[in-house]
Amino acid sequence: MTQASGFARLWAAIAAILALMLGVTVALTFGGGLGDSGGTAAAETEAVSVTLTEFAIEPGDLTVPSGVPLTFEVANEGATPHDFVIEGVAATSVLQSGESETLEVDALEPGTYEVICEEPGHEGAGMVGTLTVSEDGAADSGGEDGAEAPADEEMSAEEMAAMHDDLSAFPAETEGQGNQPMEPEIDDDGTKVFELTATHVEWETEPGEIREALAYNDQIPGPRIDVDEGDDVRLVLHNELEVPTALHLHGLVLPNAMDGVPGLTQDSVLPGESFDYELTVENSGSHMYHSHFDSANQVPSGLLGAFVVHGDDEPEVDHDIVMVLNDGPLGYTLNGKGFPATEPLVVDEGDTVRVRYMNEGLEVHPMHLHGMPQEVIARDGYPLDSPYIEDNILVGPGDRIDVIVEATEVGAWAWHCHILTHAEGPHGMFGMVTALIVE
């Protein structure tokens, strides 16, 4: 054999090996095997656009084909943090306002999957939907004929300014008003009796925004209860819900059996049952009452109210108001309403105002009043030996903080939570915003 013929055979062998390797690569790329001469193309990824807002997942009903990988382009166009969770499958990180994320999911089996936002209270507020994986390969990501819905056009500067500048709807009228003073019945022995009935209600938080809620006496917050230090008090809880409940007097010194904690101090109050909470009021100050059964759901859903105990050492004021802060299934609210349905406080120049902040929500809320300082005089019902001036009043869940405001500056002053995603967005103010109007 000549050297030339030896090289020829070597190159022929190399060429055969390369051809075989190329054939394997092509077959794997297009989904075929070594014995599959007509391999099929790999399935393309199905892309789906999802928008998160207060409080909705859009589109709420998604249909995608089975057998193909999925890519969800998730954008938070709301003012508060949200995430996008396919329960039991995958989830995005928590997205701040304006952020977006791509969520890649392997091909899913045919069936229906729940999608939610897992931020506290957001699922109950309406951030739920369904993802249907169809067997026939049909897909519908929210647009016409399966096409993606077009994104909203950006607003012009003039349109944005108009939405912020026009406050003609404030204060807006809505159905229902909470935190109304409740007059007790007086027993023969002088005991003050307050009856509270827990029910399911539909509550209008802002014009046209109706939420499924829970309420005491059809009010959110429940009736304001005012008593004096040393009073004998009986609260009668009637449960007309479809689930158990209980009532806790938050911040009060109580007999142990009256503390309202199922499994620890009492049995749960079942639907159709009642329970009497009896006490002699020992400590004055700003306190609260609320459910202590499934409280992470029942309290932000509306089972809450103010319990104010008056003592001999109270400062004299022209206005004594309660402002209950809440977040969760009802959105961001002040006394059960979101802006523009929140109620402004109107006072005369020179008036002294006592504000009792009470946080019944799941988040911290720093309350800021424009134009005038706030003097902190009590925390959690106990007067401070050394009151102090503060600009932002940081009110944590369960906190009660009392302040004095001297209405020295005439005008309409903004009054809001200073976590700005609780109060203002590109479409203007919402949620935890009201005004102090000094005339």
Side-chain angles (χ1 to χ4, degrees), residues 124-144:
M127 296 194 73
V128 296
T130 58
L131 171 66
T132 301
V133 180
S134 66
E135 295 186 24
D136 59 7
D140 179 6
S141 57
E144 188 173 329

Side-chain angles (χ1 to χ4, degrees), residues 3 64 89 149 160 188 208 431:
Q3 187 177 25
V64 297
V89 177
M160 292 184 70
D188 293 339

Side-chain angles (χ1 to χ4, degrees), residues 11-89:
W11 282 114
I14 292 173
I17 293 171
L18 289 174
L20 178 60
M21 292 178 62
L22 181 60
V24 171
T25 303
V26 171
L28 291 177
T29 302
F30 289 91
L34 291 176
D36 183 359
S37 59
T40 56
E44 296 181 358
T45 298
E46 180 72 22
V48 182
S49 293
V50 176
T51 301
L52 309 176
T53 60
E54 283 75 56
F55 285 94
I57 298 173
E58 299 173 350
D61 296 310
L62 292 162
T63 301
V64 297
S66 61
V68 298
L70 305 172
T71 300
F72 294 87
E73 301 292 344
V74 183
N76 181 5
E77 295 185 3
T80 64
H82 298 298
D83 59 8
F84 176 74
V85 178
I86 307 171
E87 290 195 298
V89 177

Side-chain angles (χ1 to χ4, degrees), residues 22-232:
L22 181 60
V24 171
T25 303
V26 171
L28 291 177
T29 302
F30 289 91
L34 291 176
D36 183 359
S37 59
T40 56
E44 296 181 358
T45 298
E46 180 72 22
V48 182
S49 293
V50 176
T51 301
L52 309 176
T53 60
E54 283 75 56
F55 285 94
I57 298 173
E58 299 173 350
D61 296 310
L62 292 162
T63 301
V64 297
S66 61
V68 298
L70 305 172
T71 300
F72 294 87
E73 301 292 344
V74 183
N76 181 5
E77 295 185 3
T80 64
H82 298 298
D83 59 8
F84 176 74
V85 178
I86 307 171
E87 290 195 298
V89 177
T92 66
S93 58
V94 176
L95 304 177
Q96 301 300 314
S97 177
E99 290 185 343
S100 60
E101 183 176 316
T102 298
L103 180 65
E104 296 182 351
V105 178
D106 292 336
L108 295 174
E109 293 294 323
T112 300
Y113 300 79
E114 296 294 323
V115 296
I116 62 172
C117 174
E118 284 189 338
E119 284 293 277
H122 291 192
E123 179 183 1
M127 296 194 73
V128 296
T130 58
L131 171 66
T132 301
V133 180
S134 66
E135 295 186 24
D136 59 7
D140 179 6
S141 57
E144 188 173 329
D145 297 328
E148 292 184 8
D152 292 338
E153 295 182 3
E154 291 188 6
M155 291 184 294
S156 67
E158 290 75 13
E159 290 171 330
M160 292 184 70
M163 298 186 77
H164 283 71
D165 295 346
D166 183 7
L167 297 184
S168 60
F170 175 70
E173 292 187 6
T174 51
E175 189 72 24
Q177 186 174 9
N179 199 36
Q180 297 303 294
M182 184 180 189
E183 291 296 326
E185 295 183 5
I186 309 296
D187 271 1
D188 293 339
D189 62 359
T191 299
K192 294 181 178 179
V193 181
F194 300 89
E195 298 209 26
L196 297 171
T197 301
T199 58
H200 296 273
V201 298
E202 291 186 343
W203 188 254
E204 188 175 17
T205 57
E206 55 191 87
E209 188 66 35
I210 309 297
R211 306 283 180 106
E212 295 293 328
L214 309 177
Y216 294 118
N217 297 12
D218 298 323
Q219 298 180 35
I220 301 176
R224 171 174 166 167
I225 295 176
D226 286 80
V227 299
D228 295 320
E229 190 174 0
D231 280 349
D232 292 324

Side-chain angles (χ1 to χ4, degrees), residues 165-425:
D165 295 346
D166 183 7
L167 297 184
S168 60
F170 175 70
E173 292 187 6
T174 51
E175 189 72 24
Q177 186 174 9
N179 199 36
Q180 297 303 294
M182 184 180 189
E183 291 296 326
E185 295 183 5
I186 309 296
D187 271 1
D188 293 339
D189 62 359
T191 299
K192 294 181 178 179
V193 181
F194 300 89
E195 298 209 26
L196 297 171
T197 301
T199 58
H200 296 273
V201 298
E202 291 186 343
W203 188 254
E204 188 175 17
T205 57
E206 55 191 87
E209 188 66 35
I210 309 297
R211 306 283 180 106
E212 295 293 328
L214 309 177
Y216 294 118
N217 297 12
D218 298 323
Q219 298 180 35
I220 301 176
R224 171 174 166 167
I225 295 176
D226 286 80
V227 299
D228 295 320
E229 190 174 0
D231 280 349
D232 292 324
V233 173
R234 180 164 67 251
L235 277 77
V236 183
L237 172 65
H238 303 291
N239 184 7
E240 293 186 0
L241 303 172
E242 297 174 355
V243 294
T245 192
L247 188 142
H248 171 61
L249 294 167
H250 183 97
L252 288 161
V253 178
L254 301 166
N256 181 255
M258 298 292 106
D259 197 40
V261 181
L264 193 61
T265 64
Q266 68 169 91
D267 292 333
S268 300
V269 183
L270 297 175
E273 293 184 348
S274 299
F275 191 93
D276 291 2
Y277 296 88
E278 301 185 25
L279 68 148
T280 299
V281 179
E282 296 187 25
N283 54 317
S284 61
S286 300
H287 307 293
M288 305 184 293
Y289 63 90
H290 53 228
S291 168
H292 220 292
F293 183 97
D294 187 17
S295 54
N297 174 57
Q298 290 193 3
V299 176
S301 292
L303 289 186
L304 53 97
F307 194 104
V308 177
V309 182
H310 300 281
D312 295 333
D313 56 352
E314 287 190 337
E316 292 188 7
V317 296
D318 299 297
H319 307 270
D320 185 340
I321 72 161
V322 166
M323 183 180 289
V324 177
L325 319 176
N326 199 11
D327 54 79
L330 304 181
Y332 293 105
T333 60
L334 303 176
N335 287 340
K337 302 290 181 176
F339 186 88
T342 50
E343 184 177 7
L345 177 62
V346 182
V347 303
D348 292 328
E349 183 182 8
D351 282 355
T352 300
V353 182
R354 178 177 186 156
V355 183
R356 302 174 187 264
Y357 292 115
M358 303 183 180
N359 187 349
E360 287 278 25
L362 306 173
E363 303 179 36
V364 172
H365 300 294
M367 296 304 298
H368 174 59
L369 173 64
H370 291 206
M372 286 154 282
Q374 304 179 78
E375 182 184 22
V376 181
I377 63 168
R379 297 186 66 90
D380 295 334
Y382 296 96
L384 298 180
D385 293 333
S386 301
Y388 58 92
I389 299 295
E390 196 161 60
D391 186 42
N392 279 351
I393 309 300
L394 192 67
V395 192
D399 286 352
R400 292 92 61 216
I401 301 180
D402 294 18
V403 303
I404 295 290
V405 175
E406 300 292 346
T408 57
E409 308 303 317
V410 174
W413 300 99
W415 196 0
H416 61 92
C417 174
H418 217 287
I419 295 178
L420 299 180
T421 52
H422 300 176
E424 190 168 10

